[in-house]
Amino acid sequence: MSIKILHIDSNNPILWQQLEDAGFENHADFKSSKEEIEAKIQDYNGIIIRSRFKIDKTFLDKATNLKFIARVGAGLESIDCEYATSKGIHLIAAPEGNRNAVAEHSLGVILSLFNNLNQADAEIKAGHWNRESNRGHELDGKTVGIIGYGNMGKAFAKKLRGFEVDVIFHDILENIGDENARQVSLQELQQKSDVLSLHLPWTPETDKMVNANFIAAFAKPFWIVNTSRGKNIVTADLVEAMKTKKILGAGLDVLEYEKLSFETLFQDKNTPEAFQYLMEAKNVLLTPHIAGWTFESHERLAQVIVDKIKAVYSK
């Protein structure tokens, strides 16, 4: 019996084609509501998603023949992983697919913030030639602290090897340091870091982790880059720290206000006061959740998912 797969988000066409070539039966539904898909999910053995809606207990209870859920992305926070696993459903993600993209983006953000590149560009285009106010900082000699040393954190540390920087990291797993970064306690990271880069999943433990108390524990003013998940930072507390210059600049590819799908920003039509500050601040660089969203990673993510599905289910 062939394995029937339902694709509920569009992805690179190699995913569909290679699964078809391997003997899987592909079906697509990019428009139906969650409830409409729940009504037919019992007909499928696999589902491939990005982040259109949450795969919760209600959905999983109706998916009586589901063998696997594959997410074309790094995280699995849109899935009730514990319940899915308890039902024998195999979970597949692809953090290997966009780790290089995230690492390059993170480095680019830091260099832009340090050298006022976006501000200087905007001023030149507005007819202003301001050299002194755009005097920058050099990355050499700084300490870069990474929180989360999985695929993304390790890839970012590797990119920093070309700079004379001390790279340290904190992670809940022990003894995972390598030639690119040294593992330290959270307290040591907060004492030494000039730059903080977040490479974390969104979990109950990391939700609102970067708050006023967390920021106050840093010994020095610092720059912060977040390419992980927006809800790992309390935006209002971040803004207060920027006003006091405890945080010198922020590069945010993800925002607390994003919807789960990552396709739109606000939950309602009101612009939060803290976000209004971020939009107007010269030392803030905002991007729309694109750190891992390159042309190359678009293909690589699909390929990783294909390879993992075939490794387990190919006949």
Side-chain angles (χ1 to χ4, degrees):
M1 183 179 68
S2 65
I3 293 179
K4 293 176 64 176
I5 301 174
L6 179 63
H7 301 244
I8 66 169
D9 290 291
S10 61
N11 287 291
N12 189 284
I14 68 169
L15 195 155
W16 182 286
Q17 187 61 54
Q18 291 189 22
L19 288 174
E20 186 175 275
D21 292 344
F24 295 88
E25 184 180 335
N26 290 313
H27 296 258
D29 188 338
F30 303 155
K31 295 182 179 180
S32 292
S33 68
K34 176 174 178 287
E35 291 73 23
E36 288 170 329
I37 290 180
E38 283 175 350
K40 63 181 180 181
I41 192 60
Q42 76 278 357
D43 296 333
Y44 294 94
N45 312 114
I47 185 169
I48 295 179
I49 66 170
R50 287 206 319 265
S51 301
R52 185 145 68 93
F53 52 71
K54 188 170 179 59
I55 307 297
D56 54 18
K57 288 184 178 180
T58 301
F59 186 96
L60 292 167
D61 281 339
K62 294 180 182 297
T64 51
N65 292 302
L66 205 60
K67 297 178 182 292
F68 71 87
I69 303 170
R71 178 168 184 263
V72 186
L76 294 170
E77 68 270 17
S78 61
I79 303 168
D80 188 330
C81 296
E82 184 177 351
Y83 193 61
T85 301
S86 74
K87 296 176 77 67
I89 297 171
H90 184 48
L91 303 179
I92 300 170
E96 312 94 322
N98 61 357
R99 61 189 174 191
N100 183 71
V102 170
E104 290 190 6
H105 183 101
S106 300
L107 181 57
V109 166
I110 290 173
L111 294 175
S112 181
L113 288 172
F114 269 41
N115 294 284
N116 303 307
L117 298 183
N118 285 65
Q119 175 182 311
D121 175 72
E123 288 175 357
I124 288 275
K125 290 175 179 176
H128 307 295
W129 186 268
N130 301 324
R131 295 186 70 217
E132 185 56 37
S133 62
N134 284 304
R135 189 187 292 270
H137 297 269
E138 294 180 20
L139 190 54
D140 278 22
K142 303 294 193 296
T143 297
V144 178
I146 298 170
I147 299 186
Y149 207 61
N151 278 281
M152 310 303 173
K154 289 177 180 176
F156 178 50
K158 185 178 180 181
K159 297 297 179 189
L160 291 167
R161 289 180 65 175
F163 297 84
E164 295 295 329
V165 294
D166 183 23
V167 184
I168 58 178
F169 74 90
H170 176 69
D171 196 281
I172 58 173
L173 300 178
E174 297 180 355
N175 302 315
I176 58 172
D178 55 27
E179 67 274 14
N180 300 322
R182 177 170 57 90
Q183 187 163 11
V184 299
S185 66
L186 178 59
Q187 291 71 29
E188 183 175 347
L189 184 142
Q190 289 171 316
Q191 286 296 306
K192 295 183 175 179
S193 294
D194 299 293
V195 177
L196 173 64
S197 189
L198 301 179
H199 298 278
L200 296 159
W202 180 43
T203 68
E205 290 72 31
T206 64
D207 183 57
K208 299 179 176 62
M209 183 187 75
V210 180
N211 56 25
N213 291 334
F214 180 94
I215 294 167
F218 278 75
K220 299 182 284 185
F222 64 99
W223 287 265
I224 185 169
V225 175
N226 187 14
T227 56
S228 58
R229 290 294 182 262
K231 290 182 172 57
N232 291 336
I233 294 179
V234 179
T235 310
D237 292 353
L238 169 70
V239 166
E240 288 304 309
M242 297 192 74
K243 290 178 179 178
T244 64
K245 295 183 167 48
K246 182 61 179 284
I247 291 181
L248 301 171
L252 307 175
D253 183 55
V254 290
L255 291 163
E256 181 180 359
Y257 318 108
E258 286 180 79
K259 289 188 176 181
L260 182 64
S261 68
F262 308 141
E263 298 299 328
T264 53
L265 185 57
F266 301 116
Q267 301 288 353
D268 53 43
K269 295 181 180 179
N270 299 319
T271 301
E273 183 179 346
F275 184 60
Q276 188 66 42
Y277 177 92
L278 295 178
M279 289 194 295
E280 296 171 0
K282 292 183 177 181
N283 58 341
V284 174
L285 187 58
L286 302 173
T287 49
H289 206 128
I290 57 168
W293 200 243
T294 63
F295 289 101
E296 292 83 359
S297 72
H298 185 53
E299 180 174 331
R300 199 175 297 121
L301 284 165
Q303 189 64 61
V304 169
I305 292 296
V306 168
D307 292 345
K308 289 185 176 182
I309 292 173
K310 288 167 62 177
V312 178
Y313 299 103
S314 282
K315 297 173 284 298

